[in-house]
Every structure is written in structure tokens, then in C-alpha cells.
Amino acid sequence: MQFRPCIDIHNGQVKQIVGSSLNDFLDKTLENFVSVQDAAYYANYYREHNLFGGHVIILNAKESDYYEATKAQALNALRAFPRGLQIGGGINHDNAELFLDSGASHIIVTSYVFENGRINYDNLEKLVNLIGKEKIVLDLSCRKRKDVNDDYYIVTDRWQKYTDVLLSKNSLLELSKYCDEFLIHAVDVEGKSAGIDENLVEILGSYEGIPVTYAGGVHNFSDLEKLKKIGNNRINVTIGSALDLFGGPLKVTEIINFFDN
């Protein structure tokens, strides 16, 4: 179990948001925190504290008027911490090498692989052939579908569209053939600092394959203890809104000590 930091960028600014509130059409979202610092500031901070494996997420769609400003922030972060950060948000076969050449350790993909609600194995294999599975992280962020037995289904397009892919131990095993890690946001609790999604963590804790990073709802050390127990000490974790770097109560130094002990 490791701590994985994050840098979420929206409309050209580092932010912490309520994940379920993203709206591409209006480029709006509910904000928990908007930083006066740029993305490179956070990348340098993580580098100085040897916090590897974090993710930079571009939260604007490519069609957005803000996309280029958000992308520029992301590239600056990658250059500030070469091979220390992963990058996600609109990554595909055409731009993956750009981000890797700019310093990303891995590229994170969702929509390019889960196209029209289904797994596009042609796109997935094309990406593996281009850069190798060891540089790919699959974003399997998910939400409950209350109309389908409250099961978790993978969501795409900045968490706004459901796929027909059920998140389960079997789907994790199948998709692990094509990637090095999984990143999984519990979208229903993301950005709310109201506790982890214990049911989702239980599913992830039953999986014993490649590394999994969970994000969503962590707001105190009790949540981390629960995550460690329910997740069988296998799941890495990202903390966003609750972190002091983003205006929250949890100090990075205390988080580092927690994972060191």
C-alpha cells in the first residue's frame, strides 16, 4: 500500500473538484479548491518528497476553449518531475508518445479504450504495440448503477458516460493483460471528503494482480485504516481535497509517516 499524489487541472488551473459535477458543455464543475500555484509547483513538491507514481489529470475535453491551457500546465508538471508522474485525460494512440517524451512515466487511458460503451480491443492492442503495456495505466473509474443491482460500471468522458463494462475481479484480470496498473476513482464519493466507498474497496481488495490505485472520499486516518484493512493492504491510494496542499486537514508529512510505518 502506497500513497500516490495527484494534480488535477481544469480550465488551466490546479483544482480539487466534486467528480460527479463535471460538465463538458459549460466547462463548469463544483470546486473544493482552486490553487494559486501552477501544476509545476506541485510536481516539484512531490519530487522533493520522493512521491512517485502520482497522476496528472487533464479535466477539460479537447473541444474546450480551455484545453490548450490545461494541457500546457500538465506538460509543465511532467517536465518538472521526469518519470515521476502519470498523465491522463484525452490520451490516445496519436498523442501518447508526446506525453511520454515530455516526461510521463505512464499514460492513463479510458475513453480511447472504452469506446461507445464497450471495450475497444483494437485500440487497446494498437496502444500496447505502440508504447508497450508497461507504460499503460487503465483508468477504470466507476459509478454505481442503481438500475442494475447497484453494481459498479466503468465510466468514461470525464466520468459522465456509463459503459456496459462491469467492474469485477474478472474484468480486472482480463484487462490486466494490457496494462501495468489500474487507476480507479470512486466517482460517487470523489471530492466529497465524506469517507471511502467500502463496497468498491472490497472488490478491489479481492484482486491480487497488478497495482491498483484507489481515489475517492478519503478525509482522515480512519479512512486510511479502513482502506488498508478492507483492501488487504494491496491498494494504493490518492488523497485530494482532504490534503493540506489543497486546503484540507491532512498534512502531507503525516501521510508520508503513516505509509512509512
Side-chain angles (χ1 to χ4, degrees):
M1 185 176 179
Q2 300 175 357
F3 171 54
R4 300 288 186 89
C6 64
I7 305 173
D8 295 340
I9 312 169
H10 182 254
N11 292 1
Q13 295 175 290
V14 175
K15 297 181 181 180
Q16 284 295 310
I17 69 167
V18 177
S20 58
S21 71
L22 269 172
N23 185 313
D24 280 349
F25 179 70
L26 298 173
D27 281 320
K28 289 185 177 180
T29 184
L30 292 177
E31 300 167 344
N32 291 322
F33 177 83
V34 180
S35 180
V36 297
Q37 305 289 350
D38 63 10
Y41 167 87
Y42 292 95
N44 280 313
Y45 185 93
Y46 299 150
R47 177 176 53 80
E48 290 166 3
H49 288 79
N50 293 312
L51 295 172
F52 286 81
H55 55 269
V56 180
I57 301 296
I58 296 171
L59 289 172
N60 289 102
K62 289 184 180 179
E63 298 75 24
S64 167
D65 291 338
Y66 295 95
Y67 175 77
E68 290 301 327
T70 297
K71 176 184 172 183
Q73 286 271 7
L75 290 172
N76 286 339
L78 297 179
R79 292 168 184 142
F81 191 4
R83 304 291 172 256
L85 296 166
Q86 305 167 357
I87 177 75
I91 311 296
N92 56 37
H93 179 268
D94 294 325
N95 61 16
E97 290 180 301
L98 166 67
F99 290 105
L100 290 171
D101 290 343
S102 297
S105 66
H106 298 70
I107 54 97
I108 305 168
V109 289
T110 313
S111 302
Y112 178 67
V113 170
F114 297 93
E115 191 177 53
N116 299 319
R118 298 182 179 181
I119 301 172
N120 186 324
Y121 282 102
D122 288 340
N123 282 354
L124 190 51
E125 289 172 1
K126 187 188 297 184
L127 200 57
V128 170
N129 290 334
L130 178 68
I131 63 173
K133 72 184 290 289
E134 69 277 2
K135 294 181 181 178
I136 297 173
V137 175
L138 286 182
D139 183 341
L140 306 185
S141 297
C142 58
R143 305 179 74 171
K144 274 189 176 183
R145 287 197 62 173
K146 298 188 183 300
D147 59 330
V148 189
N149 299 319
D150 272 352
D151 287 329
Y152 293 91
Y153 281 80
I154 296 167
V155 288
T156 66
D157 297 277
R158 290 151 303 283
W159 309 327
Q160 296 171 67
K161 296 180 181 178
Y162 280 107
T163 70
D164 64 1
V165 183
L166 176 71
L167 185 81
S168 66
K169 186 176 178 180
N170 287 337
S171 60
L172 291 171
L173 287 169
E174 169 63 21
L175 290 169
S176 67
K177 301 172 186 175
Y178 302 94
C179 64
D180 195 47
E181 297 185 13
F182 294 122
L183 171 63
I184 302 176
H185 290 81
V187 178
D188 290 325
V189 299
E190 172 71 18
K192 297 180 180 179
S193 292
I196 63 173
D197 189 328
E198 296 184 24
N199 293 329
L200 175 58
V201 171
E202 188 173 356
I203 294 171
L204 302 181
S206 69
Y207 170 71
E208 300 181 29
I210 63 175
V212 175
T213 296
Y214 166 89
V218 173
H219 75 297
N220 57 31
F221 285 99
S222 176
D223 284 327
L224 291 177
E225 293 289 359
K226 287 180 184 177
L227 186 69
K228 185 175 183 179
K229 181 178 180 180
I230 300 172
N232 294 310
N233 201 27
R234 296 192 184 110
I235 304 171
N236 301 323
V237 62
T238 288
I239 304 171
S241 299
L243 209 61
D244 62 345
L245 283 175
F246 305 117
L250 296 180
K251 295 181 179 180
V252 175
T253 52
E254 293 178 355
I255 295 295
I256 292 172
N257 288 336
F258 176 88
F259 284 94
D260 284 343
N261 295 325

